[in-house]
Amino acid sequence: SMEPRGVEAELAAEAISRSGLKLSIEPVTEEHVQILDELFYVDYRGVTSINSCSGRRFMSGCALKVATSMEQIVSKM
């Protein structure tokens, strides 16, 4: 796992931590896609939850937690 780089990555890392989730930064391979329950990414637009990939459907509960936490962090800035 690598350290987050950039403002968005630092904000995402803080939001993930505050949400009680574990941060893992790694490339997503086809093998990962087959075993994941959820897949999302964070960029300058915020949190984007992936609905499906390679025919597999994903949930969005963790992405919602992270997005909510990010909104709380930003609103206090």
Side-chain angles (χ1 to χ4, degrees):
S1 161
M2 304 176 300
E3 288 297 316
R5 294 187 181 161
V7 174
E8 294 90 352
E10 289 177 19
L11 178 59
E14 179 65 23
I16 289 166
S17 175
R18 289 182 184 205
S19 297
L21 302 169
K22 181 182 173 189
L23 175 63
S24 179
I25 303 173
E26 16 184 297
V28 177
T29 66
E30 184 68 29
E31 294 166 350
H32 283 116
V33 170
Q34 299 308 313
I35 62 171
L36 295 174
D37 293 324
E38 188 166 347
L39 183 60
F40 64 89
Y41 65 93
V42 177
D43 63 12
Y44 69 94
R45 295 170 289 194
V47 178
T48 301
S49 180
I50 307 299
N51 292 327
S52 65
C53 182
S54 297
R56 181 168 168 83
R57 304 271 307 153
F58 293 109
M59 298 182 291
S60 60
C62 292
L64 180 58
K65 284 182 183 180
V66 172
T68 301
S69 183
M70 286 177 70
E71 285 180 9
Q72 292 171 350
I73 292 168
V74 171
S75 71
K76 293 178 183 176
M77 294 179 137

Coordinates of all heavy atoms in Angstrom, one line a residue:
S1 N 0.8 -1.2 0.0 CA 0.0 0.0 0.0 C 0.9 1.2 0.0 O 1.9 1.3 0.7 CB -0.9 -0.1 1.2 OG -1.4 1.1 1.6
M2 N 0.5 2.2 -0.8 CA 1.3 3.5 -0.9 C 0.7 4.5 0.0 O -0.5 4.4 0.4 CB 1.3 3.9 -2.4 CG 1.8 2.9 -3.3 SD 1.7 3.4 -5.0 CE 0.0 3.7 -5.3
E3 N 1.4 5.6 0.2 CA 0.8 6.8 0.9 C 0.0 7.6 -0.1 O 0.4 7.8 -1.2 CB 2.0 7.6 1.5 CG 2.7 6.9 2.7 CD 1.7 6.8 3.8 OE1 1.0 7.7 4.2 OE2 1.8 5.7 4.4
P4 N -1.1 8.2 0.4 CA -1.8 9.1 -0.5 C -1.0 10.3 -0.9 O -0.3 10.8 -0.1 CB -3.0 9.5 0.4 CG -2.9 8.8 1.7 CD -1.6 8.1 1.7
R5 N -1.2 10.8 -2.1 CA -0.5 12.0 -2.6 C -1.5 12.9 -3.2 O -2.4 12.6 -3.9 CB 0.5 11.6 -3.7 CG 1.6 10.8 -3.2 CD 2.7 10.6 -4.2 NE 3.7 9.8 -3.7 CZ 4.6 9.1 -4.4 NH1 4.5 9.2 -5.7 NH2 5.5 8.4 -3.9
G6 N -1.4 14.2 -2.8 CA -2.3 15.2 -3.3 C -3.4 15.6 -2.3 O -3.7 14.8 -1.4
V7 N -4.0 16.7 -2.5 CA -5.1 17.2 -1.7 C -6.2 16.2 -1.6 O -6.7 15.9 -0.6 CB -5.5 18.6 -2.1 CG1 -6.7 19.1 -1.3 CG2 -4.4 19.6 -2.0
E8 N -6.7 15.8 -2.8 CA -7.8 14.9 -2.8 C -7.5 13.6 -2.1 O -8.4 13.1 -1.4 CB -8.2 14.6 -4.3 CG -8.7 15.7 -5.1 CD -7.6 16.5 -5.8 OE1 -6.5 16.2 -5.6 OE2 -8.0 17.4 -6.6
A9 N -6.3 13.0 -2.3 CA -6.0 11.8 -1.6 C -5.9 11.9 -0.1 O -6.3 11.1 0.6 CB -4.6 11.3 -2.2
E10 N -5.3 13.1 0.3 CA -5.3 13.3 1.8 C -6.7 13.4 2.4 O -6.9 12.9 3.4 CB -4.4 14.5 2.0 CG -2.9 14.3 1.8 CD -2.1 15.5 2.0 OE1 -2.5 16.5 2.7 OE2 -1.0 15.6 1.5
L11 N -7.5 14.2 1.7 CA -8.9 14.3 2.1 C -9.6 13.0 2.2 O -10.3 12.6 3.1 CB -9.7 15.3 1.2 CG -11.1 15.5 1.6 CD1 -11.3 16.1 3.0 CD2 -11.8 16.5 0.6
A12 N -9.4 12.2 1.1 CA -10.0 10.8 1.1 C -9.5 10.0 2.2 O -10.3 9.3 2.9 CB -9.8 10.2 -0.3
A13 N -8.2 10.0 2.5 CA -7.6 9.2 3.5 C -8.2 9.6 4.9 O -8.5 8.7 5.7 CB -6.1 9.3 3.5
E14 N -8.4 10.9 5.1 CA -8.9 11.3 6.4 C -10.4 10.9 6.5 O -10.9 10.5 7.5 CB -8.8 12.9 6.5 CG -9.4 13.5 7.7 CD -8.7 13.0 9.0 OE1 -7.5 12.7 9.0 OE2 -9.4 13.1 10.1
A15 N -11.2 11.1 5.4 CA -12.6 10.7 5.4 C -12.7 9.2 5.6 O -13.6 8.7 6.3 CB -13.2 11.1 4.1
I16 N -11.9 8.4 5.0 CA -11.9 6.9 5.2 C -11.7 6.6 6.6 O -12.4 5.8 7.2 CB -11.0 6.2 4.2 CG1 -11.5 6.4 2.8 CG2 -10.7 4.8 4.6 CD1 -10.5 6.0 1.7
S17 N -10.6 7.2 7.2 CA -10.3 6.9 8.6 C -11.5 7.3 9.5 O -11.9 6.5 10.4 CB -9.1 7.7 9.0 OG -8.8 7.6 10.3
R18 N -12.1 8.5 9.3 CA -13.2 8.9 10.1 C -14.4 8.0 10.0 O -15.3 8.0 10.8 CB -13.5 10.4 9.8 CG -12.5 11.4 10.3 CD -13.0 12.7 10.0 NE -11.9 13.7 10.3 CZ -12.2 15.0 10.6 NH1 -13.5 15.4 10.6 NH2 -11.2 15.8 10.9
S19 N -14.5 7.4 8.8 CA -15.6 6.5 8.6 C -15.5 5.1 9.2 O -16.3 4.2 9.1 CB -15.9 6.3 7.0 OG -16.2 7.5 6.5
G20 N -14.3 4.9 9.8 CA -14.0 3.6 10.4 C -13.6 2.5 9.4 O -13.6 1.3 9.7
L21 N -13.2 2.9 8.2 CA -12.8 2.0 7.2 C -11.3 1.9 7.1 O -10.6 2.8 7.6 CB -13.4 2.4 5.8 CG -14.9 2.5 5.8 CD1 -15.3 3.2 4.5 CD2 -15.6 1.2 5.9
K22 N -10.8 0.9 6.5 CA -9.3 0.7 6.3 C -9.0 1.1 4.9 O -9.6 0.7 3.9 CB -9.0 -0.8 6.5 CG -7.5 -1.0 6.4 CD -7.2 -2.5 6.6 CE -5.7 -2.7 6.2 NZ -5.4 -4.1 6.2
L23 N -7.9 2.0 4.8 CA -7.5 2.5 3.5 C -6.5 1.5 2.9 O -5.6 1.0 3.5 CB -6.8 3.8 3.6 CG -6.1 4.4 2.4 CD1 -7.2 4.7 1.3 CD2 -5.4 5.7 2.7
S24 N -6.7 1.2 1.6 CA -5.7 0.3 0.9 C -5.6 0.9 -0.5 O -6.6 1.1 -1.3 CB -6.3 -1.1 0.8 OG -5.4 -1.9 0.0
I25 N -4.4 1.3 -0.9 CA -4.2 1.9 -2.2 C -3.4 0.9 -3.0 O -2.2 0.6 -2.7 CB -3.4 3.2 -2.1 CG1 -4.1 4.2 -1.2 CG2 -3.1 3.8 -3.5 CD1 -3.4 5.5 -0.9
E26 N -4.0 0.3 -4.0 CA -3.3 -0.7 -4.9 C -4.0 -0.7 -6.2 O -5.1 -0.3 -6.4 CB -3.4 -2.1 -4.3 CG -4.3 -2.3 -3.2 CD -4.2 -3.7 -2.6 OE1 -4.5 -4.7 -3.3 OE2 -3.9 -3.8 -1.4
P27 N -3.2 -1.1 -7.2 CA -3.9 -1.2 -8.6 C -5.0 -2.2 -8.5 O -4.9 -3.2 -7.8 CB -2.7 -1.7 -9.5 CG -1.5 -1.6 -8.7 CD -1.9 -1.5 -7.2
V28 N -6.0 -2.0 -9.3 CA -7.2 -2.9 -9.3 C -7.0 -3.8 -10.5 O -6.9 -3.3 -11.7 CB -8.5 -2.2 -9.4 CG1 -9.7 -3.2 -9.5 CG2 -8.7 -1.3 -8.2
T29 N -6.8 -5.1 -10.3 CA -6.7 -6.0 -11.4 C -8.0 -6.7 -11.7 O -8.9 -6.6 -10.9 CB -5.6 -7.1 -11.0 OG1 -6.1 -7.9 -9.9 CG2 -4.3 -6.4 -10.6
E30 N -8.0 -7.5 -12.8 CA -9.2 -8.3 -13.1 C -9.5 -9.2 -12.0 O -10.7 -9.5 -11.7 CB -9.0 -9.0 -14.4 CG -10.2 -9.8 -14.9 CD -11.4 -8.9 -15.3 OE1 -11.1 -7.8 -15.8 OE2 -12.5 -9.3 -15.2
E31 N -8.5 -9.8 -11.3 CA -8.7 -10.7 -10.2 C -9.4 -10.0 -9.1 O -10.3 -10.6 -8.4 CB -7.4 -11.3 -9.8 CG -6.7 -12.2 -10.8 CD -5.3 -12.5 -10.5 OE1 -4.7 -11.9 -9.5 OE2 -4.7 -13.4 -11.1
H32 N -9.0 -8.8 -8.8 CA -9.7 -8.0 -7.7 C -11.1 -7.8 -8.0 O -12.0 -7.9 -7.1 CB -9.0 -6.6 -7.5 CG -7.7 -6.7 -6.8 ND1 -6.5 -6.3 -7.4 CD2 -7.4 -7.0 -5.5 CE1 -5.5 -6.4 -6.5 NE2 -6.0 -6.8 -5.4
V33 N -11.4 -7.4 -9.2 CA -12.8 -7.1 -9.6 C -13.7 -8.3 -9.3 O -14.9 -8.1 -8.9 CB -12.9 -6.7 -11.1 CG1 -14.3 -6.6 -11.5 CG2 -12.2 -5.4 -11.3
Q34 N -13.2 -9.5 -9.4 CA -14.1 -10.7 -9.2 C -14.4 -10.9 -7.7 O -15.3 -11.6 -7.4 CB -13.4 -11.9 -9.8 CG -13.2 -11.8 -11.3 CD -14.5 -11.4 -12.1 OE1 -15.6 -12.0 -11.8 NE2 -14.4 -10.5 -13.0
I35 N -13.6 -10.3 -6.8 CA -13.8 -10.6 -5.4 C -14.3 -9.4 -4.6 O -14.7 -9.6 -3.4 CB -12.6 -11.2 -4.7 CG1 -11.4 -10.2 -4.8 CG2 -12.2 -12.5 -5.4 CD1 -10.2 -10.6 -4.0
L36 N -14.3 -8.2 -5.2 CA -14.7 -7.0 -4.4 C -16.2 -6.9 -4.3 O -16.9 -7.3 -5.2 CB -14.1 -5.8 -5.2 CG -12.6 -5.6 -5.2 CD1 -12.3 -4.4 -6.1 CD2 -12.0 -5.5 -3.8
D37 N -16.6 -6.3 -3.2 CA -18.0 -6.0 -3.0 C -18.4 -4.6 -3.4 O -19.5 -4.3 -3.8 CB -18.4 -6.1 -1.5 CG -18.3 -7.5 -0.9 OD1 -18.6 -8.5 -1.7 OD2 -17.9 -7.7 0.2
E38 N -17.3 -3.8 -3.4 CA -17.5 -2.4 -3.7 C -16.3 -1.8 -4.3 O -15.2 -2.2 -4.0 CB -17.9 -1.6 -2.4 CG -18.3 -0.2 -2.7 CD -19.0 0.5 -1.5 OE1 -19.3 -0.3 -0.5 OE2 -19.1 1.7 -1.5
L39 N -16.4 -0.8 -5.2 CA -15.3 -0.2 -5.9 C -15.6 1.3 -6.1 O -16.7 1.6 -6.7 CB -15.0 -0.9 -7.2 CG -13.8 -0.5 -8.0 CD1 -12.5 -0.6 -7.2 CD2 -13.7 -1.2 -9.3
F40 N -14.8 2.2 -5.6 CA -15.0 3.6 -5.8 C -13.7 4.3 -5.9 O -12.6 3.8 -5.5 CB -15.9 4.2 -4.8 CG -15.3 4.2 -3.4 CD1 -14.5 5.3 -2.9 CD2 -15.5 3.2 -2.5 CE1 -14.0 5.3 -1.6 CE2 -15.0 3.1 -1.2 CZ -14.2 4.2 -0.8
Y41 N -13.7 5.5 -6.4 CA -12.5 6.3 -6.5 C -12.8 7.8 -6.1 O -13.9 8.2 -6.1 CB -11.8 6.3 -7.9 CG -12.6 6.9 -9.0 CD1 -12.4 8.2 -9.4 CD2 -13.5 6.1 -9.7 CE1 -13.1 8.7 -10.4 CE2 -14.2 6.7 -10.8 CZ -14.0 8.0 -11.1 OH -14.7 8.5 -12.1
V42 N -11.7 8.5 -5.7 CA -11.9 9.9 -5.3 C -11.0 10.7 -6.2 O -9.8 10.4 -6.4 CB -11.5 10.0 -3.8 CG1 -11.5 11.5 -3.4 CG2 -12.3 9.2 -2.9
D43 N -11.5 11.8 -6.7 CA -10.7 12.8 -7.4 C -11.3 14.2 -7.1 O -12.0 14.3 -6.2 CB -10.7 12.5 -9.0 CG -12.1 12.5 -9.6 OD1 -13.0 13.1 -9.0 OD2 -12.2 12.1 -10.8
Y44 N -10.9 15.2 -7.9 CA -11.3 16.5 -7.6 C -12.8 16.7 -7.6 O -13.3 17.7 -7.1 CB -10.7 17.5 -8.6 CG -11.2 17.4 -10.0 CD1 -12.2 18.2 -10.5 CD2 -10.7 16.4 -10.9 CE1 -12.7 18.1 -11.8 CE2 -11.2 16.3 -12.2 CZ -12.2 17.2 -12.6 OH -12.7 17.0 -13.9
R45 N -13.6 15.8 -8.2 CA -15.1 15.9 -8.2 C -15.7 15.3 -7.0 O -16.9 15.5 -6.7 CB -15.6 15.2 -9.5 CG -15.2 15.9 -10.8 CD -15.5 15.0 -11.9 NE -14.6 13.8 -11.9 CZ -14.5 13.0 -12.9 NH1 -15.2 13.1 -14.0 NH2 -13.7 12.0 -12.8
G46 N -15.0 14.6 -6.2 CA -15.5 13.9 -5.0 C -15.4 12.4 -5.2 O -14.5 11.9 -5.8
V47 N -16.3 11.7 -4.5 CA -16.3 10.2 -4.5 C -17.2 9.7 -5.7 O -18.4 10.2 -5.8 CB -16.9 9.7 -3.2 CG1 -17.0 8.2 -3.2 CG2 -16.1 10.2 -2.0
T48 N -16.7 8.8 -6.5 CA -17.5 8.2 -7.5 C -17.5 6.7 -7.3 O -16.5 6.0 -7.2 CB -16.8 8.5 -8.9 OG1 -16.7 9.9 -9.1 CG2 -17.6 7.8 -10.0
S49 N -18.7 6.2 -7.1 CA -18.9 4.8 -6.9 C -19.1 4.1 -8.2 O -19.8 4.6 -9.1 CB -20.2 4.6 -6.0 OG -20.4 3.2 -5.8
I50 N -18.4 3.0 -8.4 CA -18.5 2.2 -9.7 C -19.7 1.3 -9.5 O -19.8 0.5 -8.6 CB -17.2 1.4 -9.9 CG1 -16.0 2.3 -9.9 CG2 -17.3 0.6 -11.2 CD1 -15.9 3.4 -10.9
N51 N -20.7 1.4 -10.4 CA -21.9 0.5 -10.4 C -21.6 -0.9 -10.8 O -22.1 -1.9 -10.2 CB -23.0 1.1 -11.2 CG -23.5 2.4 -10.6 OD1 -23.6 2.6 -9.4 ND2 -23.9 3.3 -11.5
S52 N -20.8 -1.0 -11.9 CA -20.5 -2.4 -12.4 C -19.2 -2.3 -13.2 O -18.8 -1.3 -13.7 CB -21.6 -2.9 -13.2 OG -21.8 -2.1 -14.4
C53 N -18.6 -3.5 -13.3 CA -17.3 -3.6 -14.1 C -17.2 -5.1 -14.5 O -17.4 -6.0 -13.7 CB -16.1 -3.2 -13.2 SG -14.6 -3.3 -14.1
S54 N -16.9 -5.3 -15.8 CA -16.8 -6.6 -16.3 C -18.0 -7.5 -16.0 O -17.9 -8.7 -15.7 CB -15.5 -7.3 -15.8 OG -14.4 -6.6 -16.2
G55 N -19.2 -6.9 -16.0 CA -20.4 -7.6 -15.8 C -20.8 -7.8 -14.3 O -21.8 -8.4 -14.0
R56 N -19.9 -7.4 -13.4 CA -20.2 -7.6 -12.0 C -20.7 -6.3 -11.4 O -20.2 -5.2 -11.6 CB -18.9 -8.0 -11.3 CG -19.0 -8.2 -9.8 CD -17.8 -8.9 -9.2 NE -17.7 -8.9 -7.8 CZ -18.4 -9.8 -7.0 NH1 -19.0 -10.7 -7.6 NH2 -18.3 -9.7 -5.7
R57 N -21.8 -6.4 -10.6 CA -22.4 -5.3 -10.0 C -21.8 -5.1 -8.6 O -21.4 -6.0 -7.9 CB -23.9 -5.6 -9.8 CG -24.7 -5.9 -11.0 CD -25.2 -4.8 -11.8 NE -26.1 -3.9 -11.0 CZ -26.2 -2.6 -11.3 NH1 -25.6 -2.1 -12.3 NH2 -27.0 -1.8 -10.5
F58 N -21.7 -3.8 -8.2 CA -21.1 -3.4 -7.0 C -22.1 -2.7 -6.1 O -23.0 -2.0 -6.6 CB -19.9 -2.5 -7.2 CG -18.7 -3.3 -7.8 CD1 -18.4 -3.0 -9.1 CD2 -18.0 -4.2 -7.2 CE1 -17.3 -3.6 -9.8 CE2 -17.0 -4.9 -7.8 CZ -16.6 -4.6 -9.1
M59 N -21.8 -2.7 -4.8 CA -22.6 -1.9 -3.8 C -22.0 -0.5 -3.7 O -20.9 -0.3 -4.2 CB -22.6 -2.6 -2.5 CG -23.3 -4.0 -2.5 SD -23.3 -4.9 -0.9 CE -21.6 -5.2 -0.6
S60 N -22.6 0.4 -2.9 CA -22.1 1.7 -2.7 C -22.1 2.2 -1.3 O -22.0 3.4 -1.1 CB -22.8 2.7 -3.7 OG -24.2 2.7 -3.4
G61 N -22.3 1.3 -0.3 CA -22.4 1.8 1.1 C -21.2 2.5 1.6 O -21.3 3.5 2.3
C62 N -20.0 1.9 1.4 CA -18.7 2.5 1.8 C -18.5 3.9 1.1 O -18.1 4.8 1.8 CB -17.6 1.6 1.6 SG -17.6 0.1 2.7
A63 N -18.8 3.9 -0.2 CA -18.6 5.2 -0.9 C -19.5 6.3 -0.3 O -19.0 7.4 -0.2 CB -18.9 5.0 -2.4
L64 N -20.7 5.9 0.1 CA -21.6 6.9 0.7 C -21.0 7.4 2.0 O -21.1 8.6 2.3 CB -23.0 6.3 0.8 CG -24.0 7.3 1.5 CD1 -24.2 8.5 0.7 CD2 -25.4 6.5 1.6
K65 N -20.5 6.5 2.8 CA -19.9 6.8 4.1 C -18.8 7.8 3.9 O -18.6 8.8 4.6 CB -19.4 5.6 4.9 CG -20.5 4.8 5.5 CD -19.8 3.6 6.3 CE -20.8 2.7 6.9 NZ -20.2 1.6 7.6
V66 N -17.9 7.5 3.0 CA -16.7 8.3 2.7 C -17.2 9.7 2.2 O -16.6 10.7 2.6 CB -15.7 7.7 1.7 CG1 -14.6 8.6 1.3 CG2 -15.2 6.4 2.3
A67 N -18.1 9.7 1.3 CA -18.6 11.0 0.7 C -19.2 11.9 1.8 O -19.0 13.1 1.9 CB -19.6 10.8 -0.4
T68 N -20.0 11.3 2.7 CA -20.6 12.0 3.8 C -19.5 12.6 4.7 O -19.6 13.7 5.2 CB -21.5 11.1 4.6 OG1 -22.6 10.6 3.7 CG2 -22.2 11.8 5.8
S69 N -18.5 11.8 5.0 CA -17.4 12.2 5.9 C -16.6 13.3 5.2 O -16.2 14.3 5.9 CB -16.5 11.0 6.2 OG -15.5 11.4 7.1
M70 N -16.4 13.2 3.9 CA -15.7 14.3 3.2 C -16.5 15.6 3.3 O -15.9 16.6 3.5 CB -15.4 13.9 1.8 CG -14.3 12.8 1.6 SD -14.1 12.3 -0.1 CE -13.4 13.8 -0.8
E71 N -17.8 15.5 3.1 CA -18.6 16.7 3.2 C -18.5 17.4 4.6 O -18.4 18.6 4.7 CB -20.1 16.4 2.9 CG -20.4 16.1 1.5 CD -21.8 15.8 1.2 OE1 -22.6 15.9 2.1 OE2 -22.1 15.4 0.1
Q72 N -18.4 16.6 5.6 CA -18.3 17.1 7.0 C -16.9 17.8 7.2 O -16.9 18.8 7.8 CB -18.5 16.0 8.0 CG -19.9 15.5 8.0 CD -20.1 14.2 8.9 OE1 -19.1 13.6 9.3 NE2 -21.3 13.8 9.1
I73 N -15.9 17.2 6.7 CA -14.6 17.7 6.8 C -14.5 19.1 6.1 O -14.0 20.1 6.6 CB -13.5 16.7 6.2 CG1 -13.4 15.5 7.1 CG2 -12.1 17.4 6.1 CD1 -12.6 14.4 6.5
V74 N -14.9 19.1 4.8 CA -14.9 20.3 4.0 C -15.7 21.4 4.6 O -15.3 22.6 4.5 CB -15.2 20.0 2.5 CG1 -15.4 21.2 1.7 CG2 -14.2 19.0 1.9
S75 N -16.9 21.1 5.1 CA -17.8 22.1 5.6 C -17.2 22.8 6.9 O -17.5 23.9 7.2 CB -19.1 21.6 6.0 OG -19.1 20.7 7.1
K76 N -16.2 22.2 7.5 CA -15.6 22.8 8.7 C -14.3 23.5 8.4 O -13.7 24.1 9.2 CB -15.2 21.7 9.7 CG -16.5 21.0 10.3 CD -16.1 19.9 11.2 CE -17.4 19.3 11.8 NZ -17.2 18.1 12.6
M77 N -13.9 23.6 7.1 CA -12.7 24.3 6.7 C -13.0 25.8 6.6 O -14.0 26.3 6.3 CB -12.2 23.7 5.3 CG -11.7 22.3 5.4 SD -11.2 21.8 3.8 CE -9.7 20.9 4.3

